[in-house]
Amino acid sequence: MKSFFYFAALFFLMLSSCSKEQELIITENEEKEKVPQKVSISGYVQKGPFINGTSITINELNEEVVQTGKTFTTQINNNEGSFQLENIELVSDFVSLRADGFYFNEISGEQSNSQITLYALADLADTTANVNVNVLTHLEKPRVEYLISEGMEFSVAKLQAQQEVLSIFGYDVSDIESSEYLDITKSGKGHGILLTASVILNGYRSEAEFTELMSNISNDLREDGELNDSTLGSQLINHARFLDTSSIRQNLEQRYKELGIESEISEFQPFVSDFVENTPFEITESLIQYPEEGAYGPNLLDPNKTFYSAEKYSFAANLPKGTEVTIKLTGIGQGIWGSEISTINNWSINQFNFDTQVQYFSSINSDDSSDLWMIIMDTSTKTILVEYFEMGSEEPVMSKTITVINNWASF
């Protein structure tokens, strides 16, 4: 009798084990045999808006965000930056998007000279197939991929990576939409932060410089979510402090008006100002350059040179597009310096004030060099205070004191 119960129990365990194995096999097969779903994907590619001819590549990804081999392509056929791809068959909910093209530069108010590439990762189950591609989706991509490789779920990795990217610009926010929902044509906090990041990253850089900066930042963030290279942060503030937010808004509004699109550009100016005033990153250089040599010899505006003898010099500044500078000289003017009118290039010079011993030199056109032939005359040793007022600043961004050494040379 005992043997009977023993074999009965053993038989029951075998049946239970087979049932579980069959259930596991069925579950695995179901996973392997997911039915393809037809999906339509649409969205905008924005820096400013990307233009007609931009190519869009969509790759299906598995849960480890590895490409499955399914690839779909389309292109933007307008200047709004919009794209649409209808009825593509996907098994997975995860996709990557890549956009390659020219774009409207909201800072210069002109189309870019070269193409750039922007990426995005998206879960179509969460985004209902509406996916925008922008600088935030681009910066967070390597970080999302790394977090998922460490075992994190897509949605959690996406949220964490976005917050880490936003922290670069001084925002500790979790109440804005996912980056692929954000749109520079809309009003609201998240949309304004996107535009802020876009203009700070772009600055007055060439497309190649912009691409390099984006790549360096995203690679730096990849493993720990922090911007450890302080020189990259300095590059951001070096340009951000020169941004003309009113002009940027006007450029965008005019662009969309020309395209017949109603836009509600967010009030992003306070976000830019907040970054400039509160960022921990240090200013390491001026966007406006004062070379060692100008067209007429050594440059009196070279920040690193303070001792000059009585000779001929250049008074030179190289101005990227959209920038301006005013130089204030304080000292025994017209007894120490003078300029040859025929050699003045791109400077506006006001009358010397004998009471205050002050004279102002203001650049006229940006995207050019300002220079003139300045003569330091024979005199006993004197000093001249040189103050640099860039982009209409009320306080000088830097200053130096020139010591004039008595060493008259015949002209």
Side-chain angles (χ1 to χ4, degrees), residues 134-304:
N134 51 57
V135 297
L136 294 181
T137 65
H138 183 88
L139 287 179
E140 71 189 18
K141 178 178 178 288
R143 179 61 173 160
V144 173
E145 293 170 337
Y146 179 82
L147 290 172
I148 291 174
S149 73
E150 294 293 298
M152 190 175 289
E153 293 184 359
F154 184 94
S155 60
V156 180
K158 191 77 163 52
L159 177 61
Q160 179 173 324
Q162 177 171 311
Q163 292 177 340
E164 290 167 342
V165 168
L166 291 178
S167 68
I168 297 174
F169 304 95
Y171 307 117
D172 183 15
V173 293
S174 57
D175 60 343
I176 69 172
E177 296 177 279
S178 186
S179 53
E180 64 269 27
Y181 274 122
L182 300 178
D183 184 342
I184 64 172
T185 68
K186 296 180 179 180
S187 62
K189 182 178 181 179
H191 308 299
I193 288 174
L194 168 61
L195 183 52
T196 299
S198 186
V199 299
I200 289 175
L201 288 161
N202 195 135
Y204 296 93
R205 299 177 177 88
S206 67
E207 291 79 20
E209 292 169 337
F210 169 67
T211 297
E212 181 182 25
L213 178 61
M214 291 267 285
S215 177
N216 289 339
I217 290 176
S218 60
N219 288 335
D220 190 295
L221 288 172
R222 182 178 177 272
E223 294 191 4
D224 63 5
E226 296 181 357
L227 189 61
N228 300 303
D229 188 344
S230 61
T231 62
L232 297 176
S234 291
Q235 289 181 49
L236 297 177
I237 184 59
N238 286 344
H239 282 235
R241 65 194 181 103
F242 290 99
L243 292 172
D244 185 343
T245 54
S246 296
S247 176
I248 293 170
R249 167 179 287 279
Q250 184 178 356
N251 290 339
L252 282 173
E253 289 176 340
Q254 181 62 32
R255 176 63 172 177
Y256 283 112
K257 182 178 180 180
E258 291 172 354
L259 296 173
I261 300 173
E262 292 187 9
S263 63
E264 298 180 4
I265 308 300
S266 175
E267 295 295 330
F268 71 100
Q269 295 94 323
F271 296 129
V272 176
S273 297
D274 184 62
F275 175 78
V276 171
E277 294 171 6
N278 299 309
T279 182
F281 303 127
E282 296 182 359
I283 297 171
T284 56
E285 65 179 10
S286 172
L287 183 58
I288 300 171
Q289 298 296 312
Y290 308 95
E292 293 182 6
E293 296 279 335
Y296 309 104
N299 185 16
L300 283 174
L301 297 182
D302 177 1
N304 300 313

Side-chain angles (χ1 to χ4, degrees), residues 47-51 54 99-105 108 110-118 202 205-211:
K47 180 36 218 69
F50 273 54
I51 67 174
T54 296
D100 300 276
F102 295 87
Y103 64 96
F104 177 77
N105 187 322
S108 67
E110 300 174 352
Q111 293 183 4
S112 64
N113 295 315
S114 304
Q115 296 189 48
I116 65 169
T117 299
L118 292 181
N202 195 135
R205 299 177 177 88
S206 67
E207 291 79 20
E209 292 169 337
F210 169 67
T211 297

